[in-house]
């Protein structure tokens, strides 16, 4: 990174615009930034840091926002910082304008402008600057990525603060660790320690869960095995638990298998006895069945002998029915002929009853002739029907013409009346449209005014709320600051008390025969004793934790106060000083006017539509009037034609109707007469035919009965059997024959006859014996199944336990490995001899690099006398590996850096700062830092040492660096020719460039 140019306006002590040409200063390699106290030397460095990161160095962070503004600046001049630099091969220009409380352009008071930022890059090809970003966040990310350093690292590496490194030289391990941790970002290694500890706890919990599951399976195996298994008295996590469970399970499985063998032998004997009992029961049942079968057959034989007479009578009736079956066709034919004759006679009587009296004695031929004459007369009326239909149409057309004439007269009168008031109606509608259009335009104008008024009202409400929040946040910030100070005083007091009694605390760990950690003696004749009120390490650490918590709370409250102030300033800039009530009143008035305008404008569409409908109605009325006039002209000729046709049709119909009222009535009379005559003729012919068929059927029936052996047709009819009677009689005969055959078959069976001569079978005793054998068999099966289930359950649980143990083995190995790593990184493992944590180990390596880099320059500054070395020794109970000592070549001894004099401390801290800058630069990715600043401390050096220090700084040019010394030491003005002088005055400070090419 190389600085080229810095422009400052109204920043810090500089009231107007000032320019610093770093290119001219850097040409000499070493330049001096000097001026009287309070002139603004450090403010130049603040401006560089503010341009890069939007904030000044940490010690001066309270100078943010509007407080960065110079008190000497004119009211209309805004604070601005512009930095031109090259970083990572890119030429950039950064402009930052902090928040500014400027006078209002109108009225009195002030308003707050928000902070602004601009990042530009020079395009060598186009020869012009191009904008990259105006976002604070994007610019911050871009600059941090290019530099590879945070603001804290930049302030520590580029703006070398000598006071900080003097404290770093004398600091304890904890303080060094905090600074190095921020610079080298070693929190990830602390995160590794935490992650390993968490993994150790997680895997330990999982191992315990696995052992608990194993013990649960062991309890289930004990329940399944009963008294055949004893559980080991071990807790989850204890060694040997898995082996003990597997051993107990193996013993239980062996015992269960022996019990299963005994149960199977008992089951075999019980099943054999049950089979014998079942065979005997089956034999007894068979004897009892045969004896019962013989007894039932004898009973059925006796019942058949009693029904023999009824059987012979049924056979005789069946024989008569078979003979009568030959006469059945003739009987059916005679019955059908008789029924047909009765139906035909009844139909003839009904048809003759509907005829006039003149046809009462007419035969079938006479009735048919009369029907033909009536049909001929009906055919002659078709022409009269057509004339009658046409007459109805003519009358309807004449009536329709009259109705149309009346309707047209109404249309003409209504159209004339409506058109007479058209102009007045149209003018009124047009006036409504014009009024609504004017209201719509007014509503648009009011809407444009209402939105800004609402925004100002919302901002005013936020302004009022944040004004109250500011006071509350200020009170909390003051209270948390006081609490943090009290906590710090309490912690320091406890720390002092503990240090006063540290001898007693160290003596508490002494043991006879073991060396003392302080003097190394193995005898402890008079160890110190703890006095009343002694403060131990835990109490001190609790106080330190309370102090840190209070500091964090103070920081949060201060950030909250800053945020509330920013929100208040933004809201005030938006709303101004106008009271909220006044803004609400103005917004309410605008909303009311807008509502009225919108209400009036809402009728525009309806008015336009009504005007359009009215114009359409006028066109329709004009069209209706023209059409009515045309229809009136054509109706005169149509009326005359219809009248002539009506007279001719009426004359023709009068002749065709005769005595009937209409042609349709006359036609209906003829149609009914023709139908009745035709029906009567057909009925008479049917009656004559049925009488002939009945006579023929009587002759055939008498002949068939005689041939079948019956004296009369009635006797044959009585002997007939219907289908149901025949089937029932046949069923009874078949059943008698079947039962007789079955009884004879049973009585001749050899087994049944033999069983009938044996004693009666005792079935109940055989059943009782079989039930007892079956009960004993089921009990043996249950015992065998229980033993089988016990073996299966033990095998299943044992297999699951073995699977769980195998699955748990890698987890147990992982737990052992993670536990060793966690203990090693936390410094609690015996393998970690120095009890050094991982983060401390990394920081120790970085400190060793810093000490090596610093020693190169320290030897030159001290004429080869001093060398910085890093120590891994543990300081009390603090961190180990962060010790820093100085080796004095004159004495050959190593001593504490706190023993250095003031001048020696300065050039040692300067060497340390330069060495740290080199290491941090390399750590950040090799970003070149071509411009460095060293702030004060040169006044403590003698002339020779000052020359040595300046030689070292001048040697930095070998790496193409330029170094700016910030100092008010007069002697440096003679030794460093390139100078940037800061001159203070009553109207503000100014910068002057001297001796630079």
């Amino acid at each position: 990174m190389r600085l080229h140019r810095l422009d400052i306006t109204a920043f810090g002590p500089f009231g107007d615009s000032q320019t610093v040409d770093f290119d001219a200063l850097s040409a000499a390699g070493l330049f001096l930034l000097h001026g009287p106290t309070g002139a603004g030397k450090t403010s130049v460095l603040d401006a560089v840091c503010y341009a890069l990161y939007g904030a000044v160095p940490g010690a001066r962070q309270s100078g943010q926002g509007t407080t960065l503004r110079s008190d000497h600046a004119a009211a209309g001049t805004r604070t601005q910082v512009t930095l031109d630099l090259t970083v990572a091969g890119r030429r950039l220009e950064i402009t930052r304008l902090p928040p500014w409380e400027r006078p209002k352009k109108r009225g009195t008071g002030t308003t707050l402008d928000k902070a602004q930022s601009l990042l530009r890059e020079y395009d060598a090809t186009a020869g012009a600057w191009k904008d990259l970003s105006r976002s604070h966040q994007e610019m911050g990310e871009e600059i941090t990525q290019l530099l590879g350093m945070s603001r804290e690292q930049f302030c520590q590496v580029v703006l070398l603060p000598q006071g900080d490194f003097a404290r770093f030289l004398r600091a304890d391990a904890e303080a060094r660790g905090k600074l190095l941790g921020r610079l080298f970002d070693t929190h990830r290694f602390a995160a590794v320690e935490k992650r390993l500890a968490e993994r150790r706890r997680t895997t330990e919990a999982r191992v315990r869960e696995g052992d608990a599951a194993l013990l649960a399976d062991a309890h289930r195996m004990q329940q399944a095995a009963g008294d055949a298994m004893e559980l080991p008295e071990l807790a989850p996590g204890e060694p040997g638990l898995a082996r003990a469970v597997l051993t107990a399970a193996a013993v239980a499985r062996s015992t269960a298998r022996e019990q299963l063998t005994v149960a199977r032998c008992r089951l075999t004997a019980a099943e054999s006895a049950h089979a014998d009992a079942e065979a005997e029961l089956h034999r007894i049942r068979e004897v009892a069945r045969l004896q019962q079968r013989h007894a039932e057959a004898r009973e059925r034989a006796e019942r058949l002998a009693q029904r023999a007479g009824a059987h012979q009578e049924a056979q005789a009736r069946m024989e008569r029915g078979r003979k009568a079956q030959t006469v059945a066709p003739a009987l059916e034919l005679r019955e059908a002929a008789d029924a047909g004759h009765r139906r035909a006679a009844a139909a003839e009587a009904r048809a003759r009853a509907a005829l006039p009296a003149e046809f009462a004695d007419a035969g079938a031929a006479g009735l048919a002739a009369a029907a033909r004459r009536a049909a001929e007369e009906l055919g002659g009326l078709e022409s009269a029907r057509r004339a009658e239909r046409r007459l109805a149409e003519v009358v309807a057309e004449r009536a329709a013409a009259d109705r149309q004439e009346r309707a047209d007269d109404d249309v003409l009168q209504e159209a004339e009346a409506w058109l007479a008031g058209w102009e007045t109606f149209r003018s009124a509608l047009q006036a409504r449209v014009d009024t609504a259009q004017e209201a719509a335009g007014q509503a648009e104008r009011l809407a444009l005014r209402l939105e800004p008024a609402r925004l100002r009202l919302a901002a005013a409400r936020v302004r009022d709320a944040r004004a109250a929040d500011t006071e509350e946040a200020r009170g909390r910030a003051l209270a948390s600051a006081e609490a943090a100070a009290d906590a710090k005083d309490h912690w320091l007091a406890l720390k002092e008390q503990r240090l006063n009694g540290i001898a007693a605390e160290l003596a508490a760990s002494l043991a006879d025969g073991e060396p003392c950690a302080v003097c190394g003696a193995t005898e402890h004749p008079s160890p110190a004793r703890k006095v009343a009120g002694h403060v131990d390490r835990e109490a001190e650490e609790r106080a330190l934790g309370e102090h840190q918590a209070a500091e964090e709370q103070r920081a949060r409250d201060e950030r909250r106060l800053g945020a509330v102030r920013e929100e208040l300033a933004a809201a005030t800039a938006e709303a101004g000083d106008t009271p909220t009530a006044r803004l609400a009143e103005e917004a309410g008035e605008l909303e009311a006017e807008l509502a009225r305008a919108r209400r009036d404008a809402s009728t525009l569409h309806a008015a336009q539509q009504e005007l359009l409908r009215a114009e359409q109605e006028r066109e329709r009325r004009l069209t209706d009037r023209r059409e009515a006039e045309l229809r009136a002209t054509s109706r005169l000729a149509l009326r005359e034609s219809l009248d002539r046709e009506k007279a001719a049709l009426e004359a023709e119909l009068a002749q065709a109707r005769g005595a009937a009222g209409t042609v349709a009535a006359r036609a209906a009379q003829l149609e009914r007469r023709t139908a009745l005559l035709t029906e009567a003729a057909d009925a008479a012919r049917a009656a004559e035919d049925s009488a002939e068929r009945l006579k023929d059927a009587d002759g055939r029936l008498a002949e068939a009965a005689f041939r079948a052996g019956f004296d009369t047709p009635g006797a044959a009819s009585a002997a007939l059997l219907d289908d149901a009677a025949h089937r029932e009689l046949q069923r009874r005969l078949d059943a008698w024959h079947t039962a007789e055959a079955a009884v004879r078959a049973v009585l001749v069976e050899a087994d049944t006859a033999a069983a009938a001569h044996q004693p009666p079978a005792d079935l109940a005793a055989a059943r009782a014996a079989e039930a007892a054998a079956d009960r004993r068999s089921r009990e043996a099966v249950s015992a065998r199944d229980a033993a089988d289930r016990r073996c299966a359950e033990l095998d299943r649980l044992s297999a699951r336990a073995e699977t769980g143990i195998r699955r748990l083995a890698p987890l147990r190995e992982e737990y052992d490995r993670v536990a060793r790593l966690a203990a090693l990184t936390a410094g609690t493992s015996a393998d970690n001899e120095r009890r050094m944590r991982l983060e401390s180990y990394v920081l120790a390596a970085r400190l060793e690099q810093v000490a090596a880099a610093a020693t190169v320059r320290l030897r030159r500054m001290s004429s080869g006398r001093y060398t910085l070395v890093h120590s891994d020794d543990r300081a009390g109970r603090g961190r180990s590996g962060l010790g820093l000592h100085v080796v004095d070549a004159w004495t050959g001894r190593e001593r504490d850096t706190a023993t250095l004099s003031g001048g020696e401390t300065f050039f040692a801290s300067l060497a340390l700062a330069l060495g740290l800058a080199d290491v941090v630069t390399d750590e950040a990715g090799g970003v070149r830092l071509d411009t460095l600043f060293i702030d004060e401390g040169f006044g403590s050096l003698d002339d020779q040492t000052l020359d040595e220090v300046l030689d070292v700084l001048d040697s930095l040019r070998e790496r193409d660096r330029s170094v700016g010394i910030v100092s008010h030491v007069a002697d440096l003005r003679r030794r460093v020719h390139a100078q940037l002088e800061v001159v203070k005055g009553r109207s503000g400070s100014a910068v002057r460039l001297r001796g630079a090419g």
Side-chain angles (χ1 to χ4, degrees):
M1 180 196 73
R2 178 176 294 277
L3 305 182
H4 300 293
R5 179 186 177 91
L6 176 66
D7 294 324
I8 306 174
T9 301
F11 183 87
F14 305 103
D16 55 5
S17 297
Q18 301 293 324
T19 299
V20 179
D21 188 353
F22 285 110
D23 283 337
L25 292 171
S26 301
L30 188 65
F31 63 90
L32 177 66
L33 177 58
H34 69 93
T37 301
K41 301 185 296 296
T42 305
S43 295
V44 175
L45 307 185
D46 289 348
V48 173
C49 184
Y50 182 72
L52 291 173
Y53 294 97
V56 296
R60 297 181 289 280
Q61 284 189 47
S62 58
Q64 294 294 312
T66 56
T67 59
L68 292 175
R69 179 173 175 77
S70 175
D71 294 334
H72 302 285
T77 303
R78 182 164 188 180
T79 304
Q80 178 174 328
V81 176
T82 301
L83 179 63
D84 180 5
L85 75 160
T86 297
V87 58
R90 298 170 62 182
R91 183 74 176 266
L92 302 176
E93 182 187 79
I94 307 171
T95 301
R96 292 191 185 270
L97 292 82
W100 180 36
E101 191 171 353
R102 61 170 177 79
K104 292 184 177 179
K105 296 180 180 179
R106 297 179 182 177
T108 60
T110 60
T111 184
L112 182 66
D113 285 348
K114 297 181 179 179
Q116 299 179 20
S117 299
L118 173 63
L119 176 62
R120 300 197 304 170
E121 182 175 4
Y122 184 74
D123 188 350
T125 303
W129 294 89
K130 63 177 181 180
D131 294 348
L132 293 183
S133 177
R134 292 182 179 271
S135 169
H136 304 299
Q137 183 177 359
E138 290 180 358
M139 289 176 57
E141 293 175 355
E142 182 74 13
I143 296 300
T144 302
Q145 183 176 2
L146 289 174
L147 291 176
M149 291 182 288
S150 64
R151 178 172 58 85
E152 291 78 6
Q153 289 175 320
F154 177 83
C155 295
Q156 197 76 38
V157 173
V158 179
L159 311 179
L160 301 177
Q162 294 308 300
D164 289 352
F165 279 95
R167 286 191 296 273
F168 182 79
L169 271 177
R170 298 186 177 94
D172 58 9
E174 288 293 331
R176 284 199 190 103
K178 291 180 180 178
L179 176 61
L180 294 174
R182 289 197 303 270
L183 291 178
F184 294 107
D185 190 20
T186 58
H187 300 295
R188 60 185 183 276
F189 297 102
V192 170
E193 297 176 22
K194 182 179 179 181
R195 175 60 178 162
L196 286 173
E198 292 176 353
R199 285 193 60 189
R200 179 186 60 79
R201 290 191 294 269
T202 301
T203 52
E204 182 180 9
R206 292 174 61 189
V207 168
R208 289 183 177 274
E209 289 177 1
D211 285 348
L214 181 60
L215 280 177
D217 287 340
H219 281 291
R220 295 189 186 95
M221 285 189 282
Q222 185 183 39
Q223 293 175 357
D227 297 334
M229 180 175 178
E230 294 183 0
L231 288 180
E233 296 181 357
L234 295 175
E238 293 186 22
L241 176 63
R243 184 179 298 277
V245 170
L246 292 179
T247 301
V251 173
R253 291 198 306 273
S254 176
T255 303
R257 290 192 178 91
E258 292 176 357
Q259 294 174 352
L260 176 62
T261 302
V262 173
R264 286 174 176 172
C265 293
R266 292 177 178 175
L267 175 61
T268 302
E271 287 178 344
S272 177
H274 182 235
D276 294 342
E278 281 185 337
E280 180 62 18
L281 175 61
H282 179 71
R283 188 188 67 78
I284 297 298
R285 280 177 177 169
E286 182 62 19
V287 171
R289 185 184 68 80
L290 293 174
Q291 290 177 347
Q292 180 68 24
R293 179 181 175 83
H294 186 270
E296 291 175 354
R298 291 182 64 83
E299 291 178 0
R300 287 198 300 272
E302 293 175 358
R303 287 196 297 271
L304 287 174
Q306 293 173 359
R307 296 201 306 270
H311 173 64
Q312 293 174 357
E313 182 180 353
Q315 282 182 330
R317 186 179 177 189
M318 179 66 75
E319 183 64 24
R320 286 196 305 274
R322 281 195 294 268
K323 291 179 180 180
Q325 194 66 32
T326 59
V327 187
L331 285 172
E332 292 176 357
L333 180 62
R334 198 275 174 189
E335 290 176 357
D338 183 59
H341 177 64
R342 286 195 297 271
R343 286 193 301 272
E348 180 185 9
R350 287 194 299 272
R352 288 183 179 276
L355 293 176
E358 58 182 294
F359 298 107
D361 296 330
L367 293 174
R372 287 192 296 273
R373 290 194 297 273
E376 291 173 357
E377 185 178 357
L378 178 61
L381 292 178
E382 184 60 31
S383 176
R385 284 195 183 95
R386 290 194 297 272
E388 190 175 40
R389 287 195 296 271
R390 178 56 188 162
L391 178 61
E393 293 174 356
V394 168
V395 173
E397 291 178 5
R398 185 69 171 78
D402 294 339
R403 288 194 301 273
Q404 184 65 44
E405 182 178 9
R406 292 192 296 272
D408 288 343
D409 291 340
D410 295 338
V411 168
L412 289 172
Q413 293 176 4
E414 184 179 356
E416 292 296 339
W418 193 91
L419 292 171
W422 161 246
E423 291 299 331
T424 302
F425 185 49
R426 187 192 64 78
S427 299
L429 291 177
Q430 187 63 46
R432 288 177 56 192
V433 171
D434 295 341
T435 302
Q437 287 178 340
E438 182 179 357
Q442 184 181 6
E444 293 179 358
R445 292 190 295 275
L446 289 173
L448 294 176
R449 293 172 55 195
L450 178 59
E451 185 60 26
R454 285 176 174 170
L455 292 176
R456 289 188 64 195
L457 176 58
R461 288 170 176 165
V462 173
R463 177 196 63 195
D464 297 344
R466 292 300 174 267
D469 294 344
T470 301
E471 295 301 324
E472 180 185 357
R474 184 183 293 111
R476 288 184 178 178
L478 291 175
S480 61
E482 293 177 0
D486 294 342
K488 182 175 182 181
D489 293 342
H490 177 62
W491 167 58
L492 292 176
L494 290 181
K495 184 174 183 180
E496 184 177 1
Q497 292 180 25
R498 179 167 176 262
L499 291 176
N500 292 336
I502 195 66
E505 186 173 330
L506 292 174
S509 61
L510 295 176
D512 292 337
E514 295 182 0
C516 175
V518 178
C519 62
T522 56
E523 295 181 359
H524 318 294
S526 180
R529 303 296 182 184
K530 291 184 179 180
V531 298
H534 174 70
V535 177
D536 55 9
R537 180 182 179 85
E538 288 74 12
E540 180 191 350
E541 289 179 348
R542 283 196 301 274
L544 176 58
E546 293 171 358
H547 163 56
Q548 292 172 344
E551 285 292 335
E552 293 175 357
Q553 182 64 38
R554 178 191 61 79
R556 287 195 296 271
D557 291 340
E558 288 181 353
R559 288 195 297 271
R560 169 63 179 164
L561 176 59
V564 171
R565 282 176 173 171
E566 289 181 2
E567 293 179 5
L568 174 61
T572 304
E574 179 72 21
D577 297 333
T578 306
T580 305
R582 177 58 184 161
L583 293 176
E585 182 180 355
E586 292 175 357
E589 292 175 356
L590 286 175
E591 289 177 351
E593 293 178 7
L594 178 60
R596 287 193 297 272
R598 284 177 173 171
R599 185 171 59 252
D600 295 339
S602 64
T603 62
L604 174 60
H605 179 71
Q608 291 175 338
Q609 292 297 317
E610 188 172 358
L611 177 59
L612 178 62
R613 287 195 297 271
E615 292 175 346
Q616 294 173 348
E617 180 66 16
R618 176 175 175 272
E619 294 298 327
R620 187 182 65 79
R621 299 275 184 172
L622 291 173
T623 303
D624 291 347
R625 185 175 65 179
R626 287 194 299 269
E627 293 177 352
E629 290 173 350
L630 291 174
R631 287 194 299 270
T633 303
S634 63
R635 268 195 305 271
L636 295 175
L638 177 63
R639 187 181 293 112
E640 293 177 357
S641 176
L642 291 175
D643 289 343
R644 288 194 299 271
E645 186 176 2
K646 178 182 177 185
L649 290 172
E650 288 177 345
E652 180 183 355
L653 290 174
Q655 182 180 2
R657 284 195 297 265
T662 63
V663 174
R666 177 61 179 163
Q669 291 175 356
L670 292 175
E671 286 176 356
R672 178 172 177 75
R673 183 184 185 90
T674 302
L676 292 175
L677 290 172
T678 302
E679 182 181 0
D682 293 341
R685 282 194 295 270
E688 292 173 357
D689 294 341
S690 64
E692 291 294 330
R693 286 193 297 273
L694 177 60
K695 182 178 180 182
D696 183 62
D698 286 339
R700 291 182 179 182
L701 176 60
E703 184 180 358
F706 178 75
R707 285 198 303 268
F710 292 100
D711 296 336
T712 63
S717 177
L720 277 175
L721 295 174
D722 58 12
D723 290 342
H726 182 273
R727 286 193 301 272
E728 177 60 23
L729 190 59
Q730 185 64 48
R731 184 191 64 76
R732 288 165 55 191
L733 292 173
D734 293 341
W736 195 90
H737 288 297
T738 301
E740 184 183 21
V743 168
R744 284 198 300 269
V746 171
L747 292 177
V748 298
E749 288 178 354
D751 293 342
T752 304
H757 294 86
Q758 294 180 9
D762 190 356
L763 187 59
R767 285 176 177 172
E770 189 275 336
D774 181 62
R775 183 175 62 257
R776 288 190 296 271
S777 176
R778 287 197 303 273
E779 290 174 354
V781 169
S782 298
R784 190 275 316 271
D785 292 344
D788 201 1
R789 286 194 300 272
R790 185 182 304 112
C791 290
E793 181 67 8
L794 288 174
D795 290 342
R796 184 184 67 82
L797 292 174
S798 297
R800 189 166 75 175
E802 292 175 358
T803 302
I805 291 171
R806 287 194 300 271
R807 187 171 56 250
L808 194 60
L811 182 61
R812 196 181 300 276
E813 293 176 0
E814 179 185 0
Y815 165 68
D816 295 338
R817 182 175 62 257
V818 170
R820 287 196 302 273
L821 284 176
L824 184 64
T825 57
T828 59
S829 172
D831 297 333
N832 191 336
E833 296 178 357
R834 296 185 179 277
R835 297 294 190 267
M836 188 183 299
R837 290 171 44 207
L838 178 61
E839 184 181 14
S840 299
Y841 176 77
V842 175
L843 291 176
R846 292 290 185 264
L847 183 59
E848 187 173 5
Q849 294 174 354
V850 171
T855 295
V856 176
R857 297 184 178 88
L858 179 58
R859 285 177 177 172
R860 292 187 59 184
M861 293 180 187
S862 63
S863 300
R865 179 179 180 182
Y866 293 116
T867 301
L868 281 175
V869 294
H870 139 266
S871 174
D872 284 336
D873 293 339
R874 185 180 181 91
R877 293 190 178 182
R879 294 180 186 237
S880 62
L882 297 180
L884 193 62
H885 295 164
V886 62
V887 177
D888 190 346
W890 290 2
T891 63
R893 297 180 63 86
E894 181 179 315
R895 55 192 174 98
D896 197 302
T897 54
T899 61
L900 295 173
S901 64
E904 292 172 341
T905 299
F906 166 70
F907 64 68
S909 62
L910 176 60
L912 185 64
L914 294 174
L916 183 62
D918 291 339
V919 175
V920 171
T921 300
D922 294 338
E923 178 71 13
V927 177
R928 289 182 55 83
L929 300 178
D930 299 320
T931 305
L932 299 176
F933 295 92
I934 301 174
D935 191 2
E936 286 299 347
F938 292 89
S940 61
L941 302 179
D942 55 50
D943 292 343
Q944 182 181 354
T945 305
L946 182 59
D947 288 337
E948 297 288 349
V949 170
L950 291 179
D951 288 342
V952 171
L953 295 178
D954 190 55
S955 68
L956 295 176
R957 287 186 296 176
E958 298 173 1
R959 300 180 65 179
D960 198 19
R961 285 182 175 177
S962 60
V963 180
I965 299 174
V966 183
S967 178
H968 57 272
V969 176
D971 194 29
L972 286 175
R973 300 175 198 171
R974 294 185 296 100
R975 300 172 183 264
V976 181
H977 301 288
Q979 300 177 11
L980 179 65
E981 182 180 7
V982 182
V983 182
K984 68 178 179 179
R986 299 182 64 86
S987 60
S989 299
V991 297
R992 297 176 184 174
L993 191 64
R994 299 178 182 273

